[in-house]
Amino acid sequence: MEKYEIFKYSAGLATVVVVGVALKVPAFRTVLPFALLPATACAGAAAYFHHRLPESKKCSLFSRRHPAPFFIALLLGNVTLLLLPFIALWRR
């Protein structure tokens, strides 16, 4: 197992846990963007370490997908969730 796969799986697990808690505890939704920051950092690290691999090792037996789309989705989600209160204030 490569180093980037550990970061990728950690980011996925953290995202599932945070979203699960946000679904069960409505008051947790206000801190959701800040709770997703470690998952976003792990996904970013996975994309970085995958980029640094030699070409012969970029496709491992267990994971053939690049982690960058997951990182981009988490990053856009964080930005959107952080901007939602400001958008609500602007619309008033």
Side-chain angles (χ1 to χ4, degrees):
M1 183 177 279
E2 296 293 332
K3 185 188 296 187
Y4 82 92
E5 290 176 330
I6 294 170
F7 281 113
K8 186 172 96 172
Y9 295 140
S10 298
L13 181 64
T15 303
V16 168
V17 168
V18 167
V19 170
V21 169
L23 289 174
K24 291 290 183 182
V25 183
F28 185 73
R29 292 181 190 155
T30 58
V31 295
L32 183 63
F34 303 107
L36 280 176
L37 284 177
T40 305
C42 281
Y48 173 75
F49 286 125
H50 186 274
H51 176 72
R52 299 273 317 236
L53 281 176
E55 197 64 38
S56 62
K57 295 180 88 178
K58 284 203 178 178
C59 290
S60 73
L61 178 64
F62 300 107
S63 176
R64 300 193 184 277
R65 298 188 58 145
H66 196 284
F70 183 58
F71 170 63
I72 292 169
L74 276 175
L75 189 63
L76 288 175
N78 272 350
V79 168
T80 304
L81 287 172
L82 284 169
L83 289 178
L84 279 177
F86 297 115
I87 292 171
L89 286 174
W90 181 64
R91 291 175 76 188
R92 288 185 187 182

Coordinates of all heavy atoms in Angstrom, one line a residue:
M1 N 0.9 -1.2 0.0 CA 0.0 0.0 0.0 C 0.9 1.2 0.0 O 1.8 1.3 0.8 CB -0.9 0.0 1.2 CG -1.9 1.2 1.2 SD -3.0 1.1 2.6 CE -4.2 0.0 2.0
E2 N 0.6 2.2 -0.9 CA 1.4 3.4 -1.0 C 1.0 4.4 0.1 O -0.1 4.3 0.6 CB 1.2 4.0 -2.4 CG 1.7 3.1 -3.5 CD 3.2 2.9 -3.5 OE1 3.9 3.8 -3.0 OE2 3.6 1.9 -4.0
K3 N 1.8 5.4 0.3 CA 1.6 6.4 1.3 C 0.3 7.2 0.9 O -0.5 7.6 1.8 CB 2.8 7.3 1.4 CG 2.6 8.4 2.5 CD 3.7 9.4 2.5 CE 5.1 8.8 2.7 NZ 6.2 9.8 2.8
Y4 N 0.1 7.5 -0.4 CA -1.0 8.3 -0.8 C -2.3 7.6 -0.5 O -3.4 8.2 -0.2 CB -0.9 8.8 -2.2 CG -1.3 7.8 -3.2 CD1 -2.7 7.8 -3.7 CD2 -0.5 6.8 -3.8 CE1 -3.1 6.8 -4.6 CE2 -0.9 5.9 -4.7 CZ -2.2 5.9 -5.1 OH -2.6 5.0 -6.1
E5 N -2.3 6.3 -0.6 CA -3.6 5.5 -0.4 C -4.0 5.6 1.1 O -5.2 5.7 1.4 CB -3.4 4.1 -0.8 CG -3.2 3.9 -2.2 CD -2.9 2.5 -2.6 OE1 -2.3 1.7 -1.8 OE2 -3.4 2.1 -3.7
I6 N -3.1 5.7 2.0 CA -3.4 5.8 3.4 C -4.1 7.2 3.7 O -5.1 7.3 4.4 CB -2.1 5.7 4.3 CG1 -1.6 4.2 4.2 CG2 -2.4 6.0 5.7 CD1 -0.3 4.0 4.8
F7 N -3.5 8.2 3.1 CA -4.1 9.6 3.2 C -5.5 9.6 2.5 O -6.4 10.2 3.0 CB -3.2 10.6 2.6 CG -2.1 11.0 3.4 CD1 -0.8 10.7 3.1 CD2 -2.3 11.7 4.6 CE1 0.3 11.1 3.9 CE2 -1.2 12.1 5.4 CZ 0.1 11.8 5.0
K8 N -5.6 8.9 1.4 CA -6.9 8.9 0.7 C -8.0 8.2 1.5 O -9.1 8.7 1.6 CB -6.7 8.3 -0.7 CG -8.0 8.4 -1.6 CD -7.7 7.9 -3.0 CE -8.1 6.5 -3.1 NZ -8.0 5.9 -4.4
Y9 N -7.6 7.1 2.0 CA -8.6 6.3 2.8 C -9.0 7.0 4.1 O -10.1 7.0 4.6 CB -8.1 4.9 3.1 CG -8.0 4.1 1.8 CD1 -6.9 3.2 1.6 CD2 -8.9 4.2 0.8 CE1 -6.8 2.4 0.5 CE2 -8.8 3.4 -0.4 CZ -7.8 2.5 -0.5 OH -7.7 1.8 -1.6
S10 N -8.0 7.7 4.7 CA -8.2 8.5 5.9 C -9.1 9.6 5.6 O -10.0 9.9 6.4 CB -6.9 9.0 6.5 OG -6.1 7.9 6.9
A11 N -8.9 10.3 4.5 CA -9.8 11.4 4.1 C -11.2 10.9 3.9 O -12.2 11.6 4.3 CB -9.3 12.1 2.9
G12 N -11.4 9.8 3.2 CA -12.7 9.2 3.0 C -13.4 8.9 4.3 O -14.6 9.2 4.5
L13 N -12.7 8.2 5.2 CA -13.3 7.8 6.4 C -13.7 9.0 7.3 O -14.7 9.1 7.9 CB -12.3 6.9 7.2 CG -12.8 6.4 8.6 CD1 -14.0 5.5 8.4 CD2 -11.6 5.7 9.3
A14 N -12.8 10.0 7.3 CA -13.1 11.3 8.1 C -14.3 12.0 7.5 O -15.2 12.5 8.2 CB -11.9 12.2 8.1
T15 N -14.4 12.0 6.2 CA -15.6 12.6 5.5 C -16.9 11.9 5.9 O -17.9 12.5 6.2 CB -15.4 12.7 4.0 OG1 -14.2 13.3 3.7 CG2 -16.6 13.3 3.3
V16 N -16.8 10.6 5.9 CA -18.0 9.8 6.2 C -18.4 10.0 7.7 O -19.6 10.2 8.0 CB -17.8 8.3 5.9 CG1 -18.9 7.4 6.5 CG2 -17.7 8.1 4.4
V17 N -17.5 10.1 8.6 CA -17.8 10.3 10.0 C -18.4 11.7 10.2 O -19.4 11.8 10.9 CB -16.5 10.0 10.8 CG1 -16.7 10.5 12.2 CG2 -16.1 8.6 10.8
V18 N -17.7 12.7 9.6 CA -18.2 14.1 9.8 C -19.6 14.3 9.3 O -20.5 14.9 9.9 CB -17.2 15.1 9.2 CG1 -17.8 16.4 9.1 CG2 -15.9 15.1 10.0
V19 N -19.9 13.7 8.1 CA -21.2 13.9 7.5 C -22.2 13.1 8.3 O -23.4 13.5 8.5 CB -21.2 13.5 6.0 CG1 -22.5 13.4 5.4 CG2 -20.3 14.5 5.2
G20 N -21.8 11.9 8.7 CA -22.8 11.1 9.6 C -23.1 11.8 10.9 O -24.3 11.8 11.3
V21 N -22.1 12.5 11.5 CA -22.4 13.2 12.7 C -23.3 14.4 12.4 O -24.2 14.8 13.1 CB -21.1 13.6 13.4 CG1 -21.4 14.6 14.5 CG2 -20.4 12.4 14.0
A22 N -23.0 15.1 11.3 CA -23.8 16.3 10.9 C -25.3 15.9 10.6 O -26.2 16.7 10.8 CB -23.2 16.9 9.7
L23 N -25.5 14.7 10.1 CA -26.9 14.2 9.8 C -27.6 13.9 11.1 O -28.8 14.1 11.2 CB -26.9 13.0 8.9 CG -26.5 13.3 7.5 CD1 -26.4 12.0 6.7 CD2 -27.5 14.2 6.8
K24 N -26.9 13.4 12.1 CA -27.5 13.0 13.4 C -27.7 14.2 14.4 O -28.6 14.2 15.2 CB -26.7 11.9 14.1 CG -26.8 10.6 13.3 CD -28.2 10.0 13.4 CE -28.2 8.6 12.8 NZ -29.5 8.1 12.8
V25 N -26.7 15.1 14.3 CA -26.7 16.2 15.3 C -26.9 17.5 14.5 O -25.9 18.0 13.9 CB -25.4 16.3 16.1 CG1 -25.5 17.4 17.1 CG2 -25.2 14.9 16.8
P26 N -28.1 18.1 14.4 CA -28.3 19.3 13.6 C -27.4 20.5 14.0 O -27.0 21.3 13.2 CB -29.8 19.6 13.8 CG -30.4 18.3 14.2 CD -29.3 17.6 15.0
A27 N -27.1 20.6 15.3 CA -26.3 21.8 15.7 C -24.9 21.7 15.2 O -24.1 22.7 15.2 CB -26.3 21.8 17.3
F28 N -24.4 20.5 14.8 CA -23.1 20.3 14.3 C -22.9 20.9 12.9 O -21.8 21.1 12.5 CB -22.8 18.8 14.3 CG -21.3 18.4 14.0 CD1 -20.3 18.7 14.9 CD2 -21.0 17.9 12.7 CE1 -19.0 18.4 14.5 CE2 -19.7 17.6 12.4 CZ -18.7 17.8 13.3
R29 N -24.0 21.1 12.2 CA -23.9 21.6 10.9 C -23.2 23.0 10.8 O -22.7 23.4 9.7 CB -25.2 21.7 10.2 CG -25.8 20.3 10.0 CD -27.1 20.3 9.4 NE -27.7 19.0 9.4 CZ -28.9 18.7 9.3 NH1 -29.8 19.6 9.3 NH2 -29.3 17.4 9.4
T30 N -23.2 23.8 11.9 CA -22.6 25.1 11.8 C -21.1 25.0 11.8 O -20.4 25.9 11.3 CB -23.0 25.9 13.0 OG1 -22.7 25.3 14.2 CG2 -24.5 26.2 13.0
V31 N -20.5 23.9 12.4 CA -19.1 23.8 12.3 C -18.6 22.7 11.3 O -17.5 22.3 11.3 CB -18.5 23.3 13.7 CG1 -18.8 24.4 14.7 CG2 -19.1 22.0 14.2
L32 N -19.5 22.4 10.4 CA -19.2 21.3 9.4 C -18.0 21.7 8.5 O -17.2 20.9 8.3 CB -20.5 21.0 8.6 CG -20.3 20.0 7.5 CD1 -20.0 18.6 8.2 CD2 -21.6 19.9 6.7
P33 N -17.9 23.0 8.0 CA -16.8 23.3 7.2 C -15.4 23.2 7.9 O -14.5 22.7 7.4 CB -17.0 24.7 6.8 CG -18.4 25.1 7.1 CD -18.9 24.1 8.1
F34 N -15.4 23.5 9.2 CA -14.2 23.4 10.0 C -13.9 21.9 10.3 O -12.7 21.6 10.4 CB -14.3 24.2 11.2 CG -14.6 25.7 10.9 CD1 -15.8 26.2 11.2 CD2 -13.6 26.5 10.4 CE1 -16.1 27.5 10.9 CE2 -13.9 27.8 10.1 CZ -15.2 28.3 10.3
A35 N -14.9 21.1 10.5 CA -14.7 19.7 10.8 C -14.2 19.0 9.5 O -13.5 18.0 9.6 CB -16.0 19.1 11.3
L36 N -14.5 19.5 8.3 CA -14.1 18.8 7.1 C -12.7 19.3 6.7 O -12.1 18.7 5.8 CB -15.1 19.2 6.0 CG -16.3 18.4 5.9 CD1 -17.2 18.9 4.8 CD2 -16.1 16.9 5.7
L37 N -12.1 20.2 7.4 CA -10.8 20.7 7.0 C -9.7 19.6 7.1 O -8.8 19.5 6.2 CB -10.4 21.9 7.8 CG -11.0 23.2 7.4 CD1 -10.6 24.4 8.3 CD2 -10.7 23.6 5.9
P38 N -9.7 18.8 8.2 CA -8.7 17.7 8.2 C -8.9 16.7 7.1 O -7.9 16.2 6.5 CB -8.9 17.0 9.6 CG -9.6 18.0 10.4 CD -10.4 18.9 9.4
A39 N -10.1 16.4 6.7 CA -10.3 15.5 5.6 C -9.8 16.1 4.3 O -9.2 15.4 3.4 CB -11.8 15.1 5.5
T40 N -10.0 17.4 4.1 CA -9.5 18.1 2.9 C -8.0 18.1 2.9 O -7.4 17.9 1.8 CB -10.1 19.5 2.9 OG1 -11.5 19.4 3.0 CG2 -9.7 20.2 1.6
A41 N -7.4 18.3 4.0 CA -5.9 18.2 4.1 C -5.4 16.9 3.8 O -4.4 16.7 3.0 CB -5.5 18.7 5.5
C42 N -6.0 15.8 4.3 CA -5.6 14.4 3.9 C -5.8 14.2 2.4 O -4.9 13.5 1.8 CB -6.4 13.4 4.7 SG -5.9 13.2 6.4
A43 N -6.9 14.6 1.9 CA -7.1 14.4 0.4 C -6.0 15.2 -0.4 O -5.6 14.7 -1.4 CB -8.5 14.8 0.0
G44 N -5.7 16.4 0.1 CA -4.7 17.1 -0.6 C -3.3 16.5 -0.5 O -2.5 16.4 -1.5
A45 N -3.0 15.9 0.6 CA -1.7 15.2 0.8 C -1.7 14.0 -0.1 O -0.7 13.6 -0.7 CB -1.6 14.8 2.3
A46 N -2.8 13.3 -0.2 CA -2.9 12.1 -1.1 C -2.7 12.5 -2.5 O -1.9 11.8 -3.3 CB -4.3 11.4 -0.9
A47 N -3.3 13.6 -3.0 CA -3.0 14.0 -4.3 C -1.6 14.4 -4.5 O -1.0 14.2 -5.6 CB -4.0 15.2 -4.7
Y48 N -1.0 15.1 -3.6 CA 0.4 15.5 -3.7 C 1.3 14.3 -3.7 O 2.2 14.2 -4.6 CB 0.8 16.4 -2.5 CG 2.3 16.7 -2.4 CD1 2.8 17.7 -3.3 CD2 3.1 16.1 -1.5 CE1 4.1 18.0 -3.3 CE2 4.4 16.4 -1.5 CZ 5.0 17.3 -2.4 OH 6.3 17.6 -2.3
F49 N 1.2 13.3 -2.8 CA 2.0 12.2 -2.8 C 1.8 11.3 -4.0 O 2.7 10.6 -4.5 CB 1.9 11.4 -1.5 CG 2.5 12.0 -0.4 CD1 1.8 12.3 0.8 CD2 3.8 12.4 -0.4 CE1 2.3 12.9 1.9 CE2 4.4 13.0 0.7 CZ 3.7 13.3 1.8
H50 N 0.6 11.3 -4.6 CA 0.3 10.5 -5.8 C 1.1 11.2 -7.0 O 1.6 10.5 -7.8 CB -1.2 10.4 -6.1 CG -1.5 9.5 -7.2 ND1 -1.5 10.0 -8.5 CD2 -1.8 8.2 -7.3 CE1 -1.8 9.0 -9.4 NE2 -2.0 8.0 -8.6
H51 N 1.1 12.5 -7.0 CA 1.8 13.2 -8.0 C 3.3 13.0 -8.0 O 3.9 12.9 -9.0 CB 1.5 14.7 -7.9 CG 2.2 15.5 -8.9 ND1 1.9 15.6 -10.2 CD2 3.2 16.4 -8.7 CE1 2.7 16.4 -10.8 NE2 3.5 16.9 -9.9
R52 N 3.8 12.8 -6.8 CA 5.3 12.6 -6.6 C 5.7 11.2 -6.9 O 6.9 10.9 -7.0 CB 5.7 12.9 -5.2 CG 5.4 14.3 -4.8 CD 6.5 15.3 -5.1 NE 7.8 14.7 -4.8 CZ 8.7 15.2 -4.0 NH1 8.5 16.3 -3.4 NH2 9.9 14.6 -3.9
L53 N 4.8 10.2 -7.1 CA 5.2 8.8 -7.4 C 5.8 8.7 -8.8 O 5.5 9.4 -9.7 CB 4.0 7.9 -7.3 CG 3.4 7.5 -6.0 CD1 2.2 6.7 -6.2 CD2 4.5 6.7 -5.2
P54 N 6.7 7.7 -8.9 CA 7.2 7.5 -10.3 C 6.1 6.9 -11.1 O 5.1 6.3 -10.6 CB 8.3 6.4 -10.1 CG 8.3 6.1 -8.6 CD 7.4 7.0 -7.9
E55 N 6.2 7.0 -12.4 CA 5.1 6.6 -13.3 C 4.8 5.1 -13.2 O 3.7 4.7 -13.4 CB 5.6 7.0 -14.8 CG 4.4 7.0 -15.7 CD 3.4 8.0 -15.4 OE1 3.8 9.1 -15.0 OE2 2.2 7.8 -15.6
S56 N 5.8 4.3 -12.9 CA 5.6 2.9 -12.8 C 4.8 2.5 -11.6 O 4.2 1.4 -11.6 CB 6.9 2.2 -12.8 OG 7.6 2.5 -11.6
K57 N 4.7 3.3 -10.6 CA 4.0 3.0 -9.4 C 2.6 3.7 -9.2 O 2.0 3.6 -8.2 CB 4.8 3.3 -8.2 CG 6.1 2.4 -8.1 CD 6.9 2.7 -6.9 CE 6.4 1.9 -5.7 NZ 7.1 2.1 -4.5
K58 N 2.2 4.5 -10.2 CA 1.0 5.3 -10.0 C -0.3 4.5 -10.0 O -1.3 4.9 -9.5 CB 0.9 6.4 -11.1 CG 1.9 7.5 -10.8 CD 1.5 8.8 -11.5 CE 2.5 9.8 -11.1 NZ 2.3 11.1 -11.7
C59 N -0.3 3.3 -10.6 CA -1.4 2.5 -10.6 C -1.1 1.2 -9.7 O -0.5 0.3 -10.1 CB -1.8 2.0 -12.0 SG -2.4 3.3 -13.0
S60 N -1.6 1.3 -8.5 CA -1.3 0.1 -7.6 C -2.4 -0.9 -7.8 O -3.4 -0.7 -8.5 CB -1.3 0.6 -6.1 OG -2.6 0.9 -5.7
L61 N -2.3 -2.0 -7.2 CA -3.3 -3.1 -7.3 C -4.6 -2.7 -6.7 O -5.7 -3.1 -7.2 CB -2.7 -4.4 -6.6 CG -3.6 -5.6 -6.6 CD1 -3.8 -6.1 -8.0 CD2 -2.9 -6.7 -5.8
F62 N -4.6 -2.0 -5.6 CA -5.8 -1.7 -4.9 C -6.5 -0.4 -5.3 O -7.7 -0.3 -5.1 CB -5.5 -1.6 -3.4 CG -5.0 -2.8 -2.8 CD1 -3.6 -2.9 -2.5 CD2 -5.7 -3.9 -2.6 CE1 -3.1 -4.0 -1.9 CE2 -5.2 -5.1 -2.1 CZ -3.9 -5.2 -1.8
S63 N -5.8 0.5 -5.9 CA -6.4 1.8 -6.2 C -5.9 2.3 -7.5 O -4.7 2.6 -7.6 CB -6.2 2.8 -5.1 OG -6.7 4.1 -5.5
R64 N -6.7 2.4 -8.5 CA -6.3 2.9 -9.8 C -6.8 4.3 -10.1 O -6.6 4.8 -11.2 CB -6.8 1.9 -10.9 CG -6.3 0.5 -10.7 CD -6.5 -0.3 -11.9 NE -6.1 -1.7 -11.7 CZ -4.9 -2.1 -11.8 NH1 -3.9 -1.3 -12.1 NH2 -4.6 -3.4 -11.6
R65 N -7.4 4.9 -9.2 CA -8.0 6.3 -9.5 C -7.1 7.3 -8.8 O -6.6 7.1 -7.7 CB -9.4 6.4 -8.9 CG -10.3 5.4 -9.6 CD -11.7 5.7 -9.2 NE -12.0 7.0 -9.6 CZ -13.2 7.5 -10.0 NH1 -14.1 6.6 -10.1 NH2 -13.4 8.7 -10.2
H66 N -6.9 8.5 -9.5 CA -6.2 9.6 -8.9 C -7.0 10.2 -7.8 O -8.2 10.4 -8.0 CB -5.8 10.6 -10.0 CG -4.7 11.5 -9.7 ND1 -4.9 12.5 -8.8 CD2 -3.4 11.5 -10.0 CE1 -3.8 13.2 -8.7 NE2 -2.9 12.6 -9.4
P67 N -6.4 10.6 -6.7 CA -7.1 11.2 -5.6 C -7.4 12.7 -5.8 O -8.1 13.3 -4.9 CB -6.2 11.0 -4.4 CG -4.8 10.8 -4.9 CD -5.0 10.2 -6.3
A68 N -7.0 13.3 -6.8 CA -7.2 14.8 -7.0 C -8.7 15.1 -7.2 O -9.1 16.1 -6.6 CB -6.4 15.3 -8.2
P69 N -9.5 14.3 -7.9 CA -11.0 14.7 -7.9 C -11.7 14.7 -6.6 O -12.5 15.6 -6.3 CB -11.6 13.6 -8.8 CG -10.5 13.1 -9.7 CD -9.3 13.2 -8.8
F70 N -11.3 13.8 -5.7 CA -11.8 13.8 -4.3 C -11.4 15.0 -3.6 O -12.2 15.7 -2.9 CB -11.4 12.5 -3.6 CG -12.0 12.3 -2.2 CD1 -13.3 12.3 -2.0 CD2 -11.1 12.2 -1.2 CE1 -13.8 12.2 -0.8 CE2 -11.6 12.0 0.1 CZ -13.0 12.0 0.3
F71 N -10.1 15.4 -3.7 CA -9.6 16.6 -3.1 C -10.3 17.9 -3.6 O -10.7 18.8 -2.9 CB -8.1 16.8 -3.3 CG -7.5 18.1 -2.9 CD1 -7.6 18.5 -1.6 CD2 -6.9 18.9 -3.8 CE1 -7.0 19.7 -1.2 CE2 -6.4 20.1 -3.5 CZ -6.5 20.5 -2.1
I72 N -10.5 18.0 -4.9 CA -11.2 19.1 -5.5 C -12.6 19.2 -5.0 O -13.1 20.3 -4.7 CB -11.1 19.1 -7.0 CG1 -9.7 19.3 -7.5 CG2 -12.0 20.1 -7.7 CD1 -9.4 19.0 -8.9
A73 N -13.3 18.1 -5.0 CA -14.7 18.1 -4.5 C -14.8 18.5 -3.0 O -15.6 19.3 -2.6 CB -15.3 16.7 -4.6
L74 N -13.9 18.0 -2.2 CA -13.9 18.5 -0.8 C -13.5 19.9 -0.6 O -14.1 20.7 0.2 CB -12.9 17.6 0.0 CG -13.4 16.3 0.5 CD1 -12.2 15.5 1.2 CD2 -14.5 16.5 1.5
L75 N -12.6 20.4 -1.4 CA -12.2 21.8 -1.4 C -13.3 22.7 -1.8 O -13.6 23.7 -1.1 CB -10.9 22.0 -2.2 CG -10.2 23.4 -2.1 CD1 -9.7 23.6 -0.7 CD2 -9.1 23.5 -3.2
L76 N -14.0 22.4 -2.9 CA -15.1 23.2 -3.3 C -16.3 23.1 -2.3 O -16.9 24.2 -2.1 CB -15.6 22.7 -4.7 CG -14.7 23.1 -5.9 CD1 -15.2 22.5 -7.1 CD2 -14.5 24.6 -6.0
G77 N -16.5 22.0 -1.7 CA -17.5 21.9 -0.7 C -17.2 22.7 0.6 O -18.1 23.4 1.1
N78 N -15.9 22.7 1.0 CA -15.5 23.6 2.1 C -15.7 25.0 1.8 O -16.2 25.8 2.6 CB -14.0 23.3 2.5 CG -13.9 22.2 3.4 OD1 -14.9 21.7 4.0 ND2 -12.7 21.8 3.7
V79 N -15.3 25.5 0.6 CA -15.4 26.9 0.3 C -16.9 27.3 0.2 O -17.3 28.3 0.7 CB -14.7 27.1 -1.1 CG1 -15.1 28.5 -1.6 CG2 -13.2 27.0 -0.9
T80 N -17.7 26.4 -0.3 CA -19.1 26.7 -0.4 C -19.8 26.8 1.0 O -20.5 27.7 1.3 CB -19.9 25.6 -1.2 OG1 -19.2 25.5 -2.5 CG2 -21.3 25.9 -1.4
L81 N -19.4 25.8 1.8 CA -20.0 25.8 3.2 C -19.5 27.0 4.0 O -20.2 27.5 4.8 CB -19.6 24.5 3.9 CG -20.4 23.3 3.4 CD1 -19.8 22.0 4.1 CD2 -21.9 23.4 3.7
L82 N -18.3 27.4 3.8 CA -17.8 28.6 4.5 C -18.4 29.9 4.0 O -18.6 30.8 4.8 CB -16.2 28.7 4.4 CG -15.4 27.7 5.2 CD1 -14.0 27.8 4.8 CD2 -15.6 28.1 6.7
L83 N -18.8 29.9 2.7 CA -19.4 31.1 2.2 C -20.9 31.2 2.3 O -21.4 32.3 2.2 CB -19.0 31.2 0.7 CG -17.6 31.6 0.3 CD1 -17.4 31.6 -1.2 CD2 -17.2 32.9 0.9
L84 N -21.5 30.2 2.7 CA -23.0 30.2 2.9 C -23.5 31.2 3.8 O -24.5 31.9 3.5 CB -23.5 28.8 3.2 CG -23.7 27.8 2.1 CD1 -24.2 26.5 2.6 CD2 -24.7 28.4 1.0
P85 N -22.9 31.4 5.0 CA -23.4 32.5 5.9 C -23.2 33.9 5.3 O -24.1 34.7 5.5 CB -22.5 32.3 7.2 CG -22.0 30.9 7.1 CD -21.9 30.6 5.7
F86 N -22.1 34.1 4.6 CA -21.9 35.4 4.0 C -22.9 35.6 2.8 O -23.4 36.8 2.6 CB -20.5 35.5 3.5 CG -19.5 35.4 4.6 CD1 -18.6 34.4 4.7 CD2 -19.4 36.4 5.6 CE1 -17.7 34.3 5.7 CE2 -18.5 36.4 6.6 CZ -17.6 35.3 6.6
I87 N -23.2 34.6 2.1 CA -24.2 34.7 1.1 C -25.6 35.0 1.6 O -26.3 35.9 1.1 CB -24.3 33.5 0.2 CG1 -22.9 33.3 -0.6 CG2 -25.4 33.5 -0.8 CD1 -22.8 32.0 -1.3
A88 N -25.9 34.4 2.8 CA -27.2 34.7 3.4 C -27.3 36.1 3.9 O -28.3 36.8 3.8 CB -27.4 33.7 4.6
L89 N -26.2 36.6 4.5 CA -26.1 38.0 4.9 C -26.2 39.0 3.7 O -26.9 40.0 3.8 CB -24.8 38.3 5.7 CG -24.8 37.7 7.1 CD1 -23.4 37.9 7.7 CD2 -25.8 38.4 8.0
W90 N -25.6 38.6 2.6 CA -25.6 39.5 1.4 C -27.0 39.6 0.8 O -27.4 40.6 0.3 CB -24.6 39.0 0.4 CG -24.5 39.8 -0.8 CD1 -24.1 41.1 -0.9 CD2 -24.8 39.4 -2.1 NE1 -24.1 41.5 -2.2 CE2 -24.5 40.5 -3.0 CE3 -25.3 38.2 -2.6 CZ2 -24.7 40.4 -4.3 CZ3 -25.4 38.1 -4.0 CH2 -25.2 39.2 -4.8
R91 N -27.8 38.5 0.9 CA -29.1 38.5 0.3 C -30.1 39.3 1.1 O -31.2 39.6 0.6 CB -29.6 37.0 0.2 CG -28.8 36.3 -0.9 CD -29.1 34.9 -0.9 NE -30.4 34.7 -1.6 CZ -31.1 33.6 -1.7 NH1 -30.6 32.5 -1.1 NH2 -32.2 33.5 -2.4
R92 N -29.8 39.6 2.3 CA -30.8 40.4 3.2 C -30.8 41.8 2.8 O -30.1 42.5 2.4 CB -30.4 40.2 4.6 CG -30.7 38.9 5.2 CD -30.4 38.8 6.6 NE -30.5 37.5 7.1 CZ -30.4 37.1 8.3 NH1 -30.1 38.0 9.2 NH2 -30.5 35.9 8.7

